Amino acid sequence: RIKAINPKAIVFHCSSHILSLVVGKACKIQQVENIFQQVREITQFCSVSPMRTQCLNGHLAAGSAKLIDPCRTRWVMKLKSLDVFFTSYQSVLNALEEMSLNEKKLYNVKTSSEASSYQQLMTSFQFIVVLVITKQLMDYFFPITRVLQTKDFDIAQRNEQIENLKKTLLKLREDVEDEHGSWYMIALNLAKANEVGEKLPRYCLRQIYEKNYPKDYVWQYYKKCVTIPLLDHMISEMDTRFNNSSMVAYKGLAAIPELMIRQVKADKPWKRDFLEFVRFYESDMPHPTSITAELDLWENFWKERDMNSKLPQTVSDTLKIVDLRRYPNIFEAFLILGTLPITTCECERSISVIRRLKNYSRSTMSESRFNGLALLQIHQDIYRDVDRVIDIFASKRERRLELLFTSKKDS
């Protein structure tokens, strides 16, 4: 129905949610899915009662982060929980050993039995190797997940970060022998510190329901069944879900000075992409018939500045220096590009604020008051002059009570 009213309305999927689907799809590999489920069970076991939590805190180093539940929906917390669990591996193992031995008779039989089972699980070589490999690969996704949720992040930066992540994953796939070797050494050192031997998991001579991976060398087995499938899934999902070549709105990014000069030096036709964007939004352009001449002037202008100063790399930076009188069509195009959404994180923040403000004691407040409180909560970075607020409030009308706090001018 929206497309019927306005054909130029384009669906933009939240980049954070797309990245979540990439990670979630990669975690469908059985060994990776098992490690997340096992980490979740161990985390919940250690935090379900105060006595277990106190035991774990006694083994954690000062300033260490507490274990985080790998939430099924909040995928950022899922990545962070794996990192925290890996960092606190030795502390968790020591706490489980104390609960399983139960020398002080503080825990019941069920707790000691479950602690012993989890201790045996954490000291298996397969658990250690899969934990290390999964954690090392997920570390490449964690920085961009945090950046995508920031407010001052536009669509050009988003595309650059996504392309950088794609290239990094492809480089890892090319050097999988060396990368897997370094990760495997981390797992070996962790296993050696806990007196865990290097060995293959139990298997039959010929698998019927699972793939028959080579079992001549242990490191080669885990490379074939964990590292390579996980990398291939990530690369495939990134290419499929972040394919922007067919979306006309992204073609307007070709006029960003840094990207434009890069394409000019590589003899790539950047004007063709931008003209396709202009034709799509032709009714919004002030002078669409003069766009060709305007693009020639735009290219020559930035060619002259290429050697003397740093070129703008984002839509917001370019908007600050575009002269409306000289480039009206390009200016309008960048205004449109500046409104293209990246994520829905800002909307979700607003919903969270509403949940905190609209409680049972404020159910009858007016809409203007509610909007004001929400804006104060969301935009906490804006400086608020309290004295001026008091002056405005006091000058609205006469009041029966004299205000206790007055501005500095009246004092």
Side-chain angles (χ1 to χ4, degrees), residues 92-131:
V92 175
L93 190 60
N94 294 338
L96 291 174
E97 182 179 5
E98 179 182 335
M99 285 185 278
S100 64
L101 294 176
N102 198 15
E103 295 177 349
K104 298 180 180 180
K105 305 300 180 182
L106 297 175
Y107 311 99
N108 55 33
V109 177
K110 183 180 178 181
T111 300
S112 299
S113 177
E114 291 181 358
S116 179
S117 300
Y118 288 131
Q119 181 189 3
Q120 186 176 3
L121 172 65
M122 289 184 63
T123 52
S124 65
F125 189 70
Q126 182 179 8
F127 179 90
I128 295 174
V129 174
V130 178
L131 174 66

Side-chain angles (χ1 to χ4, degrees), residues 133-269:
I133 293 174
T134 306
K135 185 261 177 188
Q136 295 294 330
L137 281 173
M138 293 301 173
D139 282 348
Y140 289 94
F141 286 85
F142 190 68
I144 192 173
T145 62
R146 303 296 297 271
V147 174
L148 282 175
Q149 298 184 36
T150 56
K151 297 180 180 179
D152 52 345
F153 196 72
D154 66 19
I155 195 168
Q157 292 173 303
R158 174 261 193 192
N159 286 355
E160 183 181 1
Q161 294 291 334
I162 294 297
E163 289 300 321
N164 183 38
L165 180 58
K166 288 182 180 180
K167 292 178 182 178
T168 303
L169 293 177
L170 288 173
K171 185 69 169 57
L172 290 175
R173 184 63 179 88
E174 293 174 2
D175 303 332
V176 67
E177 293 286 340
D178 298 335
E179 297 296 337
H180 175 76
S182 62
W183 299 338
Y184 191 75
M185 286 303 300
I186 297 174
L188 280 178
N189 294 333
L190 186 60
K192 185 178 179 181
N194 293 279
E195 300 180 354
V196 178
E198 179 187 10
K199 62 179 181 180
L200 290 167
R202 294 179 62 183
Y203 64 93
C204 57
L205 293 178
R206 183 173 179 80
Q207 300 280 357
I208 298 177
Y209 300 104
E210 297 181 7
K211 295 182 179 180
N212 290 279
Y213 296 108
K215 302 175 178 64
D216 299 332
Y217 301 98
V218 182
W219 68 272
Q220 187 179 14
Y221 170 80
Y222 286 108
K223 182 188 73 174
K224 294 289 186 180
C225 74
V226 180
T227 306
I228 291 179
L230 185 55
L231 260 175
D232 289 344
H233 273 74
M234 288 178 173
I235 294 171
S236 175
E237 288 296 312
M238 288 290 293
D239 290 337
T240 303
R241 299 186 183 276
F242 285 102
N243 184 13
N244 302 325
S245 58
S246 59
M247 188 169 289
V248 66
Y250 288 108
K251 297 184 182 295
L253 299 174
I256 294 178
E258 176 70 24
L259 303 178
M260 179 191 64
I261 294 299
R262 196 185 307 165
Q263 294 186 27
V264 169
K265 292 180 179 179
D267 294 329
K268 293 183 178 180

Side-chain angles (χ1 to χ4, degrees), residues 281-295:
Y281 291 102
E282 185 173 0
S283 59
D284 299 312
M285 297 297 159
H287 306 289
T289 56
S290 62
I291 186 63
T292 304
E294 199 170 309
L295 292 180

